[in-house]
Amino acid sequence: MVNGEVAGAAWRAAVRRWLASEAAPGVALLVATLVALVWVNSPARGGYTAVWDTAFGPAALGVRLGLREWINDGVMTVFFFVIGLEIKHELVQGSLAQPRRALVPVLAALGGATVPALVFLAVAAGSPAVPGWGVPMATDPAFAVGVLALVARRVPRGVRVLLLALATVDDVFAVGVIAIGYHEGLSWAWLAAAVGGCAVIVVLRLLGVRWIWPYVPVGIVVWWCTLHSGVQASVSGVALALLTPARPVVGRAVLRELLDRLGPVSAFVAVPVFALANAGVALDPRTLAASATSRLTWAVLAGLLVGKFTGVAGSIALTTRTGIGDLPAGVRPGHVAGLGLIAGLGFTVALFVTDLAFAPPLADQSRIGILAASLIAATAAALVLSRAGRPRQD
């Protein structure tokens, strides 16, 4: 009995260590994606659409949504809230707090957002694929950090710092693209109501309210108003996060506490469930043949692979060679090339924008491009970073 208890305790400790590892969120996302693909391409594929299209919620409040909509508009608010918290932390206390130190990832993210969009538009020009220009703009933090963790022992710590900073700034651009480029007719009254809700949160902060629970109903109202405003509702999570105090309040580190509580929820619940609901695409010969000749699929591939690499690696090279920014210690040109490749992992946000921009069959063609680009980018980045990080042989 004692041996069984010891073995059980050791197993639980091992599970906790794995869940705390940098690779775990990427693995969870990969598993959810594979489950979605197997489900859609199995005899039970009819149930996939039926499950995610199931509608529920109070119609009187205008929130009777399909399950996929609840996930994309509701559950993903947690994902964007955590992104907002990470952005706030980095801006105030992290790698973006010092202007010269922040300049390299900021300009890399800027190049890594604009160049892929331009490459996408160059390939898609004159076709129905044009509305998907935002698909290749953002890097997926979970997958990118997961791939980096596979070769973490072979690369200097500065590579990880640079990747996290780049992905953080990248997410800022992605949120702006989603909020501005993919909305359905703005309702200024509802948008004003959402802003009013944010003002209430500011007032609560000024009054010194340090408990989290009074802010929860106000946050729900902000989300509800944003949903009706025409702006993507989940983006409200970023606005709410940016209103969170970055420094301790009466000795309580609110931002850190929220990150500790909600970070795992985002990584192991929100993002995998989102992938399960959105990554399912039929890989039958007919769909694959249509994708192989689709301007949209090739535009996504070009944007994520060529655009991201050129934008990120080119911006870093330009910034450092002109002397206006410095790379972290130990980061060499091979690591920069690897970062340019790993930035092509645009999975979560790319799928999110695909859902906003397209309906089938274009949505499926975009998803196939995202899946193919992510596989190529992950493999190439792992190889390049692994070789770049090897100690030199004397």
Side-chain angles (χ1 to χ4, degrees), residues 63-152:
V63 288
R64 185 169 182 79
L65 308 173
L67 181 55
R68 183 183 286 107
E69 291 177 290
W70 274 112
I71 292 168
N72 294 353
D73 290 330
V75 174
M76 285 297 283
T77 303
V78 177
F79 168 75
F80 283 105
F81 184 73
V82 170
I83 283 178
L85 293 176
E86 292 172 343
I87 291 169
K88 185 73 175 280
H89 171 74
E90 293 297 325
L91 286 172
V92 177
Q93 299 174 321
S95 59
L96 302 180
Q98 301 174 10
R100 185 174 177 83
R101 188 179 175 188
L103 196 57
V104 172
V106 167
L107 293 181
L110 179 61
T114 55
V115 176
L118 293 174
V119 170
F120 180 98
L121 288 173
V123 176
S127 75
V130 169
W133 57 272
V135 170
M137 291 184 68
T139 298
D140 189 293
F143 264 161
V145 173
V147 170
L148 186 62
L150 295 175
V151 291

Side-chain angles (χ1 to χ4, degrees), residues 286-298 364-366 368-369:
R286 183 176 180 180
T287 303
L288 292 174
S291 298
T293 57
S294 168
R295 292 269 291 279
L296 173 56
T297 303
W298 287 104
D364 288 340
Q365 294 167 13
S366 179
I368 287 176

Side-chain angles (χ1 to χ4, degrees), residues 200-213:
V200 171
I201 291 177
V202 173
V203 171
L204 289 174
R205 283 190 56 186
L206 292 175
L207 292 174
V209 178
R210 62 188 181 92
W211 298 281
I212 293 174
W213 65 264

Side-chain angles (χ1 to χ4, degrees), residues 32-33 35-41 48 52 68 274-283 351 364 367 371:
T33 302
V35 170
L37 290 171
V38 171
W39 188 355
V40 167
N41 292 280
Y48 185 86
W52 303 118
R68 183 183 286 107
F274 169 81
L276 186 61
N278 290 274
V281 57
L283 300 178
L351 288 175
D364 288 340
R367 291 187 184 106
L371 291 172

Side-chain angles (χ1 to χ4, degrees), residues 140-230:
D140 189 293
F143 264 161
V145 173
V147 170
L148 186 62
L150 295 175
V151 291
R153 295 180 181 178
R154 297 180 178 272
V155 298
R157 182 179 177 276
V159 175
R160 180 182 180 277
V161 172
L162 190 57
L163 173 61
L164 290 176
L166 187 156
T168 299
V169 181
D170 205 51
D171 287 332
V172 175
F173 294 129
V175 169
V177 166
I178 293 169
I180 298 172
Y182 296 94
H183 60 78
E184 300 177 359
L186 287 178
S187 169
W188 292 104
W190 282 108
L191 195 58
V195 173
C198 292
V200 171
I201 291 177
V202 173
V203 171
L204 289 174
R205 283 190 56 186
L206 292 175
L207 292 174
V209 178
R210 62 188 181 92
W211 298 281
I212 293 174
W213 65 264
Y215 295 90
V216 174
V218 182
I220 292 173
V221 171
V222 170
W223 173 86
W224 180 62
C225 293
T226 307
L227 177 69
H228 290 283
S229 72

